[in-house]
Amino acid sequence: MKRKTCLIFLVGVLTLLLIASAIITHAVAAETYPEKDILWIIPLRAGGGYDTYSRRIAPVMSKYLPNKVNVVAKNITGAGGITGVSTVFKSKPDGYTIGLAAYPGMAVANMTMDIGFDPDKLTPLAQIAVSEQALFVSSKSKIKSYDDLKKMKGVRLGTTSRGASMYSFSLVASKTMAFDAELVTGYGGTSAIIPAIMRGDVDGAVLNLTQLKKYIESGDLRPVFTFTSKRHELTPDVPCVAELGVPEATAVQDYKMLFAPPGLPKDRTDILKKSLVDSFNDKGLLEWSQKSSMPLELKMDAEMKAEIDKMTRVYGQYKDLLK
């Protein structure tokens, strides 16, 4: 009996030692993270908006991380951004790989095809920026208001091919704003659509608002309304979709979301989030944003989830048309 009691006692002590060892190991890991460079994956081409934001924010983030390790931005492109996000998804959840995803494009891809992974399982870090869109027409167009647009039949919207973000924007814009549109596809991008609008090949297009600042200022193009929740500072005289009574049309924007692989431990997630919060209060980064007309918009946790849920709900209504 005495021997059995001693054995139980020893097992108990060993168990406590193992638990204590695990706690200490975990605490040490949290204290020392990060110890090496962190890879920031950019899923789209060099020189674009995702590339610019990433390469500007990553070094600032390094300043506010423990041990001031480098955050190294790298383009891993393919399949409209899916390849880069897939790489993040498949990486070890140790806090040394993070990456951007383009929404609503990622949500649309996930609901219309088999992309080989579930982006909903990624560890969300933050929304870092939103590229506001507007419906543009030529300054010579007879479309001067939302009412003009609704009265027209077969409004020809220039866009990229089916499957691209601009196509999704155009389709969802016409459906949510309830105007009769014909999507004219095949354009290579914004640079090809702008002259097409000016020539009258198409009636208009859904395009990035700040990117077209010079065309607004020159008077070559006119935004009819913006897909925003309030009037944009660049176009204070142009109505937004919220005041036109269609708040769900604010889903027609390009959301830049930062994620880590599924299963990233909370302590490391918190460290990455804190460095992002500090970065977005960095004076140099704020000055760059102002001077370059590259707005920053940090959202985390419930706010970030709400945006993703909104896009999934709105675009989900039209998933059969988006296939």
Side-chain angles (χ1 to χ4, degrees):
M1 184 67 182
K2 187 175 179 181
R3 185 177 177 184
K4 184 178 180 181
T5 303
C6 289
L7 185 60
I8 292 173
F9 175 76
L10 284 173
V11 169
V13 169
L14 284 171
T15 302
L16 289 172
L17 286 173
L18 287 172
I19 293 173
S21 174
I23 292 172
I24 291 170
T25 301
H26 182 74
V28 169
E31 287 176 1
T32 57
Y33 171 79
E35 297 177 294
K36 60 181 182 180
D37 291 354
I38 295 173
L39 175 64
W40 174 312
I41 292 177
I42 309 165
L44 297 171
R45 65 178 176 83
Y50 281 77
D51 186 74
T52 302
Y53 274 109
S54 299
R55 295 187 185 281
R56 190 67 199 191
I57 296 172
V60 180
M61 195 175 167
S62 299
K63 290 170 55 179
Y64 298 104
L65 280 167
N67 305 319
K68 301 190 187 311
V69 300
N70 295 316
V71 179
V72 181
K74 179 180 179 181
N75 302 83
I76 298 181
T77 63
I82 293 174
T83 301
V85 183
S86 174
T87 304
V88 174
F89 188 93
K90 295 173 182 174
S91 297
K92 188 177 179 181
D94 55 7
Y96 290 104
T97 304
I98 60 178
L100 282 178
Y103 275 79
M106 182 53 59
V108 171
N110 191 39
M111 68 178 69
T112 59
M113 66 178 81
D114 179 9
I115 59 174
F117 65 96
D118 183 359
D120 292 340
K121 292 182 179 178
L122 289 162
T123 300
L125 295 177
Q127 169 196 295
I128 64 166
V130 178
S131 297
E132 295 99 343
Q133 310 292 308
L135 192 138
F136 282 90
V137 298
S138 165
S139 57
K140 301 173 183 175
S141 172
K142 295 179 180 178
I143 303 173
K144 300 185 185 303
S145 68
Y146 179 36
D147 286 339
D148 292 339
L149 193 70
K150 288 192 292 185
K151 291 174 184 173
M152 279 188 67
K153 297 294 182 184
V155 178
R156 295 166 300 155
L157 293 183
T159 183
T160 50
S161 299
R162 184 186 291 267
S165 290
M166 191 185 292
Y167 182 89
S168 300
F169 288 161
S170 303
L171 188 143
V172 173
S174 65
K175 297 299 181 184
T176 55
M177 298 302 288
F179 63 91
D180 185 38
E182 174 193 348
L183 302 191
V184 182
T185 62
Y187 288 98
T190 300
S191 59
I193 292 175
I194 289 172
I197 297 175
M198 293 181 180
R199 289 193 303 265
D201 298 344
V202 293
D203 296 309
V206 178
L207 300 171
N208 185 301
L209 183 60
T210 55
Q211 192 177 349
L212 268 64
K213 179 180 178 181
K214 66 178 182 181
Y215 294 96
I216 299 171
E217 293 175 342
S218 68
D220 291 320
L221 295 179
R222 182 176 63 241
V224 180
F225 49 77
T226 62
F227 293 92
T228 54
S229 57
K230 60 183 180 181
R231 294 198 178 198
H232 197 279
E233 61 182 16
L234 184 62
T235 54
D237 299 326
V238 177
C240 64
V241 293
E243 67 182 279
L244 294 173
V246 195
E248 69 174 9
T250 57
V252 183
Q253 299 187 81
D254 181 38
Y255 294 77
K256 296 172 176 61
M257 304 285 194
L258 188 66
F259 293 93
L264 181 66
K266 185 177 183 306
D267 52 1
R268 299 194 177 199
T269 302
D270 290 343
I271 288 171
L272 291 169
K273 284 183 176 179
K274 183 179 184 304
S275 69
L276 285 165
V277 171
D278 292 339
S279 298
F280 276 64
N281 288 317
D282 183 89
K283 183 181 177 182
L285 185 64
L286 294 174
E287 288 178 350
W288 164 80
S289 171
Q290 184 70 28
K291 290 178 181 176
S292 60
S293 297
M294 300 283 282
L296 299 165
E297 187 172 327
L298 186 69
K299 288 187 178 179
M300 292 178 168
D301 305 319
E303 285 188 316
M304 180 180 179
K305 183 177 185 303
E307 296 290 14
I308 293 175
D309 288 348
K310 177 181 69 177
M311 284 180 273
T312 303
R313 175 175 51 79
V314 173
Y315 285 79
Q317 298 175 52
Y318 310 107
K319 65 179 181 181
D320 290 337
L321 297 174
L322 292 166
K323 288 180 180 177

